[in-house]
Amino acid sequence: MTNFDKILEVAQKRQGQSQPLKLQDSTILLEQIKDREQDTRPLNPKHVESLAESIAVLGLIEPLVLDNKARLLAGGHRLAAIRLLKEQQEDKYLHQFPDNRVPIRVLPFDVEEDPGLALQVEIAENEQRKDYTPNEVKAIAERLRTAGFIDVKGRPKKGQKPLMPALAVVVGKNLRTVQRYFESNQDTEPEKSTTPVVLLKQALTKLKQWQQIEPKTSQEKALAKRLPEFMNLIEDVLGNEK
């Protein structure tokens, strides 16, 4: 059971609900999101700037968490970074957030009616950050490199976008932990199985990652056009295996 599942159980009991409460994923206009009255973690301006740069390339990996009145429960740095991106690079902002709509996750309670539960949500959301695999971290790194981030030893020169600090911000780990992902001699993770179904699932995951990178050559553009067809075929095969 995840932290959010536990919180939903608590919320359900507090509100006297007989049916399980569920997270609702949606989008909302940026201007409709209301700030928290109190933040347990002060915003770090450098962290906000780094997040804005990564969101410009990768989009919002983890949605903002709101209550049922559109008040922010978790994701203060992400919200500040999105606002900064809109202010400084509106074209990239609109590329990642068409129609000015931001991905959100709504919890079905009112923060003013239960501030204690709101604090639990904020803490749990920070604790349940996704634990990325080495291959996932390397895939994110390649997307950042494609967008102009570079490996820099020592102090970066003016205008340079160092890769490792940006990657650390994205995956929510310290710099040394992120560097360890690239010190391993293994290029891929050990496969638990090599059955056709597992191989197809792995292929589909890789193709989805490649699909996020903007094609540049004519061959890549041609492949990008036909890729959805191939991916649908793989999904059909996997669906028949269930």
Side-chain angles (χ1 to χ4, degrees):
M1 180 179 288
T2 66
N3 288 321
F4 269 126
D5 291 330
K6 293 176 183 177
I7 289 168
L8 287 175
E9 276 192 0
V10 172
Q12 179 183 340
K13 291 177 182 178
R14 290 190 185 189
Q15 296 179 18
Q17 297 284 341
S18 58
Q19 296 297 320
L21 298 174
K22 294 182 179 180
L23 292 165
Q24 302 170 29
D25 290 335
S26 183
T27 61
I28 191 174
L29 292 173
L30 178 61
E31 291 74 20
Q32 292 179 327
I33 300 174
K34 303 169 187 174
D35 290 317
R36 282 184 294 218
E37 290 187 6
Q38 282 189 326
D39 234 324
T40 57
R41 215 170 38 141
L43 292 180
N44 182 323
K46 289 187 177 180
H47 188 57
V48 170
E49 290 177 8
S50 296
L51 266 177
E53 289 184 353
S54 68
I55 290 172
V57 178
L58 305 171
L60 189 63
I61 295 178
E62 292 293 333
L64 303 174
V65 183
L66 311 182
D67 75 351
N68 58 13
K69 303 292 185 182
R71 299 186 190 95
L72 184 70
L73 295 173
H77 278 86
R78 277 167 280 162
L79 178 58
I82 292 169
R83 288 170 172 167
L84 181 64
L85 179 63
K86 182 178 182 181
E87 177 185 334
Q88 296 185 347
Q89 303 181 68
E90 189 171 11
D91 56 335
K92 292 184 179 180
Y93 166 81
L94 290 174
H95 175 73
Q96 296 294 350
F97 307 105
D99 302 321
N100 194 35
R101 300 189 71 87
V102 176
I104 60 168
R105 181 166 289 165
V106 179
L107 281 170
F109 76 97
D110 187 330
V111 65
E112 290 188 349
E113 294 178 0
D114 201 336
L117 182 57
L119 179 60
Q120 290 183 50
V121 171
E122 182 186 350
I123 294 171
E125 204 268 353
N126 287 331
E127 290 178 347
Q128 66 117 37
R129 287 180 181 272
K130 175 179 170 65
D131 192 12
Y132 291 91
T133 66
N135 279 351
E136 288 175 325
V137 173
K138 291 173 183 177
I140 293 172
E142 285 306 310
R143 290 176 61 186
L144 289 171
R145 285 192 182 101
T146 301
F149 287 79
I150 60 175
D151 295 281
V152 177
K153 291 183 179 181
R155 198 173 204 177
K157 296 178 182 178
K158 186 177 180 180
Q160 286 184 330
K161 295 191 290 185
L163 174 66
M164 288 300 171
L167 197 55
V169 168
V170 173
V171 303
K173 304 288 185 183
N174 63 53
L175 192 58
R176 182 58 189 149
T177 299
V178 172
Q179 288 170 337
R180 288 196 190 103
Y181 287 115
F182 297 87
E183 292 172 357
S184 171
N185 292 326
Q186 296 180 345
D187 291 330
T188 58
E189 299 172 87
E191 294 183 355
K192 295 181 181 178
S193 173
T194 56
T195 64
V197 171
V198 170
L199 292 174
L200 283 175
K201 286 182 178 179
Q202 292 173 349
L204 189 60
T205 299
K206 293 295 184 183
L207 289 173
K208 287 180 178 179
Q209 291 174 350
W210 186 88
Q211 201 175 31
Q212 300 302 313
I213 302 173
E214 185 177 352
K216 293 183 178 180
T217 67
S218 58
Q219 293 91 341
E220 289 178 351
K221 291 177 181 178
L223 176 60
K225 287 183 179 180
R226 299 194 62 185
L227 194 56
E229 177 186 349
F230 297 147
M231 292 170 67
N232 286 336
L233 288 173
I234 294 174
E235 289 174 344
D236 288 343
V237 172
L238 292 174
N240 291 330
E241 293 290 337
K242 293 180 180 179

